Amino acid sequence: MKVFYSDTFELPLPASHRFPMAKYRLLRERIVGAAIADIDLQIPDAARDDQLLLAHAPDYVSRVTAGELSALEVRRIGFPWSPQMVERSRRSVGASIAAGLAALDEGVAVNLAGGTHHAMPDSGQGYCVFNDAAVAARVLQGANRARNVLFIDLDVHQGNGTATAAAGDKTLFAFSIHCEKNFPFRKTPGDLDIALPERTGDDVYLKSLESSLELIRWRFRADAAFYLAGADPFAGDRLGRLSLSKDGLRERDRMVLEFCRCESIPCAVAMSGGYAPNVDDIVDIHFATVLTAVEFQLKSATTGVVESTR
């Protein structure tokens, strides 16, 4: 299974910054240390301007690149601007593009970063500069590799940027399960939003996911999916407010990938958010997601990958 990483393109942050940037490097090191024969680690190309412009406004892309964002725009993104920030953001998008293309060929592929679902066409916010899934979906469509693309967003925060990208477009379907009383406080409605109360645990969450996937089965026929596998619904997450266990999150991953396998939908997985005080908890959750993806990629290889033309 192809796994794309971009942590070697460092984004310099102040020591006091609360974003756990080390999780990406630690996740890759965990994978390398496990010596999993079925994983092919690769560095992605950076997303080009013409690719970013499929989902972002030209003025925004140029101002991000040139470092011409206003102080307010930088504050809303949450990362200080630097050339390294721009490069890292482009690589993260490039990883989702590469994972999307690889999934079409092999069934499942993974971006060890990504999930930047708060980025709007003309602005960034919530640690999201460019919207990797939205850009990658447009790249797949532009290459005639997929017509209908499904976003399965299971980060604890609603993907307002992805919902905006999908609004009014019948070829995109934005599905999100998130904590109702959490960022962003002004939600952008997607095609299917499940807003759960604080402290929701495994049972209610997984039942909500099961019924939602069944509904999507009848409402949308996808040629490809981008799965945002956030670690932040975890009970110990600082910014999450839900109460899922690690076992519950593993079952969540299994349910999503089983749905995609049964529906013959190639699936690109992105890690998305995670803010537990102990970074090892974040890495545990993301590593389990990668292992589940490997399991389902092997199933796809055994049964054969059918690139949908629905």
Side-chain angles (χ1 to χ4, degrees), residues 223-234:
D223 303 313
F226 288 89
Y227 170 36
L228 280 61
D232 44 11
F234 177 54

Side-chain angles (χ1 to χ4, degrees), residues 64-81:
V64 169
T65 303
E68 295 175 351
L69 298 173
S70 69
L72 176 59
E73 288 175 308
V74 171
R75 187 161 62 250
R76 291 186 69 195
I77 289 172
F79 293 140
W81 185 90

Side-chain angles (χ1 to χ4, degrees), residues 5-288:
Y5 66 96
S6 52
D7 65 274
T8 51
F9 300 91
E10 295 185 0
L11 193 168
L13 294 176
S16 60
H17 202 284
R18 67 177 182 174
F19 189 86
M21 191 62 65
K23 70 176 184 175
Y24 301 113
R25 172 182 54 80
L26 293 171
L27 175 58
R28 176 176 54 82
E29 290 174 351
R30 176 82 65 90
I31 292 169
V32 170
I36 302 167
D38 297 303
I39 286 182
D40 178 12
L41 280 164
Q42 298 187 17
I43 296 175
D45 293 332
R48 306 185 306 268
D49 280 2
D50 63 296
Q51 294 172 324
L52 294 175
L53 292 174
L54 295 172
H56 290 287
D59 176 68
Y60 177 62
V61 173
S62 65
R63 289 189 301 109
V64 169
T65 303
E68 295 175 351
L69 298 173
S70 69
L72 176 59
E73 288 175 308
V74 171
R75 187 161 62 250
R76 291 186 69 195
I77 289 172
F79 293 140
W81 185 90
S82 66
Q84 297 97 315
M85 184 271 278
V86 178
E87 180 68 13
R88 177 62 182 273
S89 299
R90 287 179 179 268
R91 294 281 176 171
S92 184
V93 176
S96 282
I97 293 171
L101 292 169
L104 286 168
D105 292 331
E106 301 174 7
V108 184
V110 172
N111 175 3
L112 294 185
T116 48
H117 59 164
H118 298 309
M120 296 287 188
D122 59 355
S123 63
Q125 58 181 280
Y127 306 134
C128 303
V129 180
F130 301 123
N131 193 311
D132 63 298
V135 172
R138 294 304 190 192
V139 170
L140 266 56
Q141 290 177 327
N144 293 319
R145 297 295 308 276
R147 181 177 186 274
N148 296 327
V149 180
L150 169 64
F151 303 111
I152 301 174
D153 189 342
L154 302 188
D155 187 283
V156 79
H157 306 104
Q158 196 253 1
N160 54 333
T162 308
T164 299
D169 188 335
K170 293 183 179 181
T171 70
L172 300 176
F173 191 101
F175 161 52
S176 173
I177 296 182
H178 51 269
C179 181
E180 180 179 19
K181 294 182 179 179
N182 207 331
F183 183 89
F185 299 106
R186 294 182 63 182
K187 311 288 193 290
T188 301
D191 296 284
L192 178 60
D193 287 299
I194 307 298
L196 298 175
E198 295 179 68
R199 293 183 294 279
T200 294
D202 293 348
D203 289 345
V204 171
Y205 187 100
L206 294 173
K207 287 177 182 176
S208 298
L209 176 58
E210 181 180 29
S211 60
S212 297
L213 292 174
E214 185 62 25
L215 182 60
I216 293 169
R217 190 190 309 274
W218 296 104
R219 285 183 57 184
F220 190 74
R221 303 294 292 173
D223 303 313
F226 288 89
Y227 170 36
L228 280 61
D232 44 11
F234 177 54
D237 195 273
R238 290 185 293 111
L239 304 182
R241 302 183 185 176
L242 295 184
S243 297
L244 272 70
S245 67
K246 291 180 182 179
D247 286 342
L249 289 165
R250 279 193 291 270
E251 178 61 14
R252 172 203 68 173
D253 295 339
R254 188 202 65 78
M255 289 173 64
V256 169
L257 289 167
E258 179 66 15
F259 166 80
C260 290
R261 188 183 70 85
C262 289
E263 295 297 302
S264 297
I265 304 171
C267 183
V269 184
M271 294 299 100
S272 205
Y275 309 93
N278 184 348
V279 71
D280 288 339
D281 286 327
I282 307 172
V283 174
D284 287 346
I285 294 165
H286 286 326
F287 183 63

